[in-house]
Amino acid sequence: MDALETRELRYFVTVAEELHFSRAAERLGMAQPPLSRAIQQLERRLGVTLLERNRRGVTLTGAGQVLLDEARAILDGTAAAVRRTRRAATSTNRLTLATKAGSNHELLQKLLNAHAAEPDAAEIEVLLCGMGDQARMLRDGRADAALMQRPFDALAGFDTEDLLTEQQVAILPAGHPLAARTSLTMADISNVPDLPVARWPRQDGTYEPGPGPEIHDQSQLAQLIALGHTLAVLCASSRSWLWNAHTAIPLTDAPHVTTVLAWPAHSRSRAVAGLVRTAAQLLLVHHSPSPAPRSAPRRPAAAADRQVGDG
């Protein structure tokens, strides 16, 4: 069988996302008949049905869903190769660091300051993004490294260096009765009739069903909490952006969250290697003089040389 072409993969992904041939053709800037023929030819070459077509519309088959996932990864990889190749030709000592807008500002500033103090430190461009966008930016080459959070962000395919582990807190309207408590549990906030928990997007961009509002950015969340329409569960470092209309209460049984520096496992960038070394050293300094538990030894700063190549 001949190799798949990026053009036909792009056609298929667009149809699979729209589940409508006319809308997909419009999005691609082409007529519908050649698009339909291209998808039919792709199905014949693969020997499988990718899309079910009937009067009710278009749906993905199981095989179609597999190809959609794989095709997205391939197209992201192709885009990443183009971006990183062009970047390498114009600057060898520069990198882009993606981070969610509103994330731990103090930690980010410490990392940037520590890195800037290193000899021959790469110039860092900070790329602020929306919730869950960091992984996509790493995969398609828009970012060289990213600050992400375990267990919430998708870290598959990336190497990581832990930076900070912290407790979670409930962010409430300051005037709500629960705001007077010194601590809360997840059960305390799970079913408050007048204050549903805000819903964050999953890794595929969809939302879990529930009464709470769908959150798209930090500004929206802050406003809805202040108005008394929702509460949120966030890292303790989120206190840095709270308004007077907000109160943060520790959650005693919520899982801890670890902020990590993440980068593509195949990266051979010297600039990324330098940032990883800074991150590892920053962590050692941050936790000094308390030693790490025996069951979870910290990697030394030299681990960066083993994790990111110098080629």
Side-chain angles (χ1 to χ4, degrees):
M1 184 184 69
D2 294 337
L4 296 176
E5 298 179 1
T6 55
R7 174 185 56 84
E8 59 188 351
L9 291 178
R10 188 172 68 255
Y11 287 176
F12 171 72
V13 167
T14 306
V15 174
E17 290 176 346
E18 295 291 341
L19 292 177
H20 194 282
F21 276 88
S22 294
R23 290 197 300 266
E26 182 178 357
R27 181 170 146 190
L28 289 164
M30 62 187 298
Q32 180 178 336
L35 176 60
S36 298
R37 287 195 297 270
I39 298 301
Q40 291 168 357
Q41 291 170 3
L42 177 61
E43 289 178 316
R44 283 197 297 269
R45 289 175 58 206
L46 293 175
V48 299
T49 300
L50 301 171
L51 299 163
E52 294 286 358
R53 308 157 179 84
N54 54 49
R55 293 179 180 178
R56 291 177 295 178
V58 179
T59 58
L60 274 175
T61 64
Q65 183 62 57
V66 170
L67 182 60
L68 176 60
D69 295 338
E70 296 291 343
R72 281 172 169 162
I74 291 169
L75 294 174
D76 281 349
T78 302
V82 171
R83 288 190 176 103
R84 290 182 177 127
T85 299
R86 288 174 174 167
R87 193 177 302 149
T90 57
S91 175
T92 58
N93 201 35
R94 179 184 177 89
L95 63 85
T96 299
L97 175 67
T99 184
K100 182 177 65 177
S103 60
N104 192 322
H105 171 75
E106 181 182 1
L107 178 62
L108 174 61
Q109 193 64 64
K110 285 182 178 179
L111 177 62
L112 295 177
N113 290 345
H115 183 66
E118 294 291 327
D120 301 320
E123 180 182 351
I124 297 180
E125 175 188 2
V126 176
L127 181 61
L128 298 179
C129 60
M131 293 175 288
D133 285 342
Q134 301 99 307
R136 193 158 42 250
M137 290 179 171
L138 285 179
R139 291 192 175 98
D140 69 15
R142 283 177 289 170
D144 302 293
L147 293 183
M148 302 171 72
Q149 291 181 328
R150 184 190 303 117
F152 302 128
D153 290 318
L155 298 175
F158 304 131
D159 283 336
T160 62
E161 184 72 43
D162 291 1
L163 293 176
L164 174 68
T165 297
E166 57 184 322
Q167 184 183 30
Q168 293 194 79
V169 296
I171 309 298
L172 305 157
H176 194 276
L178 288 178
R181 301 272 293 273
T182 57
S183 66
L184 294 166
T185 66
M186 293 298 292
D188 291 332
I189 64 171
S190 63
N191 191 26
V192 183
D194 60 335
L195 205 63
V197 179
R199 290 183 292 146
W200 304 97
R202 294 177 288 201
Q203 293 174 9
D204 63 359
T206 63
Y207 290 82
E208 292 280 358
E214 296 180 355
I215 299 303
H216 306 289
D217 57 55
Q218 179 185 309
S219 297
Q220 174 207 18
L221 176 64
Q223 186 73 52
L224 289 174
I225 294 174
L227 291 171
H229 292 175
T230 190
L231 65 85
V233 177
L234 299 171
C235 297
S237 57
S238 64
R239 290 187 177 98
S240 63
W241 59 261
L242 296 188
W243 303 353
N244 291 335
H246 301 150
T247 298
I249 308 297
L251 289 166
T252 59
D253 59 349
H256 282 55
V257 176
T258 299
T259 299
V260 305
L261 176 67
W263 65 96
H266 62 269
S267 176
R268 308 299 296 173
S269 165
R270 290 179 180 271
V272 172
L275 182 61
V276 174
R277 284 192 293 270
T278 299
Q281 187 60 42
L282 182 68
L283 179 65
L284 293 173
V285 171
H286 179 76
H287 283 277
S288 180
S290 302
R294 283 184 167 275
S295 59
R298 298 301 315 162
R299 287 180 291 163
D305 296 318
R306 298 194 298 271
Q307 301 258 345
V308 181
D310 290 332

